[in-house]
Amino acid sequence: MKDFPAAYQVSEGSALSVDRPFYERIAAETGGRTLVESFTVPIRFGRAWSVPAGHVFRIVAPEGPQVGDLNIWNRHDPRERLWAARTRQLQGAHVTTHDRLWSTLPFLRPLVTITADSLSHYGTDEYGGRVHDLLGTRCDPYVNKLLTGQDFHFHCHSNLVRAVMPFGLTEFDVHDVLNVFQVTGLNHDDMYFMRDCPAKPGDYLEFFAEIDLLCALSTCPGGDLSVPLWGPDARDPIDVCRPLAVEVYRLAPELTEGWQSPGVAPYRGQHGLRPEKGWWDKA
């Protein structure tokens, strides 16, 4: 099969161009960081938290392989949230260091930039799988009911719903996710597949908050995805479920000197619409 160039190309100075030295300094100079919040998300559970602009947060696999489903919103306006489809086009179906997660229209700006990824070495495996997936989405009780006929209330969708309720959000605010630590791809039939998670104890994915954020994370009830979830060999993978940890850090002020949150997309064209004038308006 031949290769073909990406549709969206990065050019010097464009909106897709990333100041790599800036983010590399943030990743490297950890001595001046201050831990402002840390917690563990138990198995089959969800948790939401805030991250101020200019801070970093890490998602850590403290006990080994475990997939986590991540949602992100603008802390002050949840209508602005992670846009997985556009991020796939602008960055890739799987993300790593220096990639950004972009927000929905009409905002269209980076919510976070990935500053460090302990699994960046994974690359592409023998099946074409890669890690940190935007290709699929969260598991949910609706699909589960369709496929199994059973109710199960601890899918990632449900975990995220419960997690954001204290922040005034509802099921309608939960959206397509970044599947952290999850290996996925498309097989020869162009069908989505999920492989067992490669994370080892201590592996992490780190993000720089470009704006004030509300984040939510679910520890997937499929655990490390080494057990089939549907089909003739499916069983409850409770024995391969592990917790995830979150750490939020304030950076040394000199690291973000001169940085500012990105503005929303500058387009203000009203989509070509113009209000119709009344007969009395002669202007």
Side-chain angles (χ1 to χ4, degrees):
M1 180 183 297
K2 294 182 178 179
D3 202 7
F4 201 84
Y8 295 89
Q9 298 285 323
V10 179
S11 56
E12 187 70 26
S14 77
L16 298 181
S17 180
V18 174
D19 184 357
R20 293 192 172 211
F22 171 76
Y23 295 104
E24 287 167 359
R25 284 195 301 272
I26 288 172
E29 298 182 22
T30 58
R33 293 183 178 185
T34 302
L35 181 66
V36 296
E37 185 176 16
S38 64
F39 54 86
T40 298
V41 186
I43 67 169
R44 297 182 170 177
F45 197 75
R47 175 80 179 263
W49 71 98
S50 298
V51 185
H55 285 49
V56 298
F57 67 95
R58 280 188 175 190
I59 298 174
V60 184
E63 297 180 13
Q66 169 65 41
V67 167
D69 286 43
L70 178 67
N71 267 189
I72 305 178
W73 299 262
N74 179 334
R75 180 68 183 89
H76 309 292
D77 184 356
R79 293 176 299 178
E80 182 177 11
R81 60 192 190 183
L82 169 62
W83 190 6
R86 183 62 83 197
T87 301
R88 285 197 300 270
Q89 292 179 318
L90 297 180
Q91 307 290 169
H94 303 82
V95 291
T96 187
T97 308
H98 300 132
D99 286 329
R100 291 173 148 172
L101 305 183
W102 292 78
S103 70
T104 49
L105 298 178
F107 310 98
L108 193 60
R109 58 178 165 176
L111 295 169
V112 298
T113 301
I114 298 175
T115 49
D117 175 10
S118 67
L119 290 174
S120 60
H121 62 276
Y122 186 86
T124 305
D125 64 28
E126 59 185 318
Y127 300 100
R130 298 185 182 188
V131 73
H132 307 313
D133 159 52
L134 284 161
L135 194 58
T137 188
R138 61 212 181 274
C139 58
D140 68 76
Y142 304 96
V143 168
N144 188 77
K145 184 75 171 183
L146 287 175
L147 297 181
T148 70
Q150 298 177 349
D151 288 323
F152 184 71
H153 308 299
F154 301 95
H155 284 285
C156 289
H157 180 82
S158 300
N159 294 344
L160 293 169
V161 169
R162 295 193 306 275
V164 299
M165 288 180 68
F167 292 86
L169 275 60
T170 73
E171 178 174 14
F172 292 99
D173 295 296
V174 173
H175 51 276
D176 282 351
V177 299
L178 170 64
N179 290 302
V180 180
F181 304 135
Q182 182 167 315
V183 174
T184 66
L186 299 176
N187 65 19
H188 291 307
D189 294 322
D190 206 29
M191 296 295 291
Y192 181 73
F193 70 80
M194 304 183 295
R195 287 203 63 200
D196 44 316
C197 173
K200 304 250 185 326
D203 274 327
Y204 61 88
L205 187 62
E206 181 181 279
F207 307 83
F208 176 83
E210 299 286 354
I211 65 172
D212 291 340
L213 303 175
L214 174 66
C215 304
L217 180 70
S218 166
T219 49
C220 182
D224 65 11
L225 300 182
S226 62
V227 173
L229 303 181
W230 296 281
D233 298 323
R235 66 169 178 83
D236 186 351
I238 186 69
D239 55 312
V240 295
C241 288
R242 300 172 183 87
L244 291 172
V246 172
E247 302 166 354
V248 181
Y249 294 92
R250 181 172 59 249
L251 300 177
E254 59 270 18
L255 280 179
T256 55
E257 187 175 350
W259 167 85
Q260 59 183 7
S261 287
V264 299
Y267 174 69
R268 292 294 181 272
Q270 298 182 346
H271 307 286
L273 299 174
R274 296 293 184 271
E276 183 179 349
K277 293 184 178 181
W279 60 264
W280 57 89
D281 187 354
K282 303 301 183 184

